[in-house]
Amino acid sequence: MQENVGTLDRTARFVAGPLLMGLGATALGGLRGRPGGIIALVAGALIVESAITRVCPVNRMLGLDTRERELRTIPL
């Protein structure tokens, strides 16, 4: 898959993902099996995964590419 997550977006994901995971684990009770907490844990993990791989399926579905313009490639 082609990368579609830019540097600023990636940094925000590296901050937001762990915060969401921590919120899900503690305040929402994800470690105790509460559905809201489990959803927050999974969502945070997916956000971190997209920051690591620089590929976001949601961005792709919406036609978004947050990479810097000069780094974008033109599909042949």
Side-chain angles (χ1 to χ4, degrees):
M1 297 186 88
Q2 185 178 358
E3 294 179 352
N4 60 1
V5 176
T7 304
L8 183 59
D9 190 9
R10 184 178 192 208
T11 303
R13 290 168 189 261
F14 271 129
V15 172
L19 287 176
L20 187 56
M21 290 171 64
L23 178 68
T26 57
L28 299 176
L31 298 180
R32 289 173 285 181
R34 292 189 178 160
I38 293 171
I39 291 169
L41 281 168
V42 171
L46 290 173
I47 290 170
V48 170
E49 180 272 334
S50 67
I52 293 169
T53 63
R54 292 184 173 241
V55 175
C56 179
V58 175
N59 280 7
R60 186 167 314 286
M61 285 189 304
L62 297 175
L64 298 174
D65 189 347
T66 60
R67 294 177 299 149
E68 291 75 23
R69 184 164 296 279
E70 65 273 2
L71 297 178
R72 295 182 188 165
T73 59
I74 299 171
L76 299 174

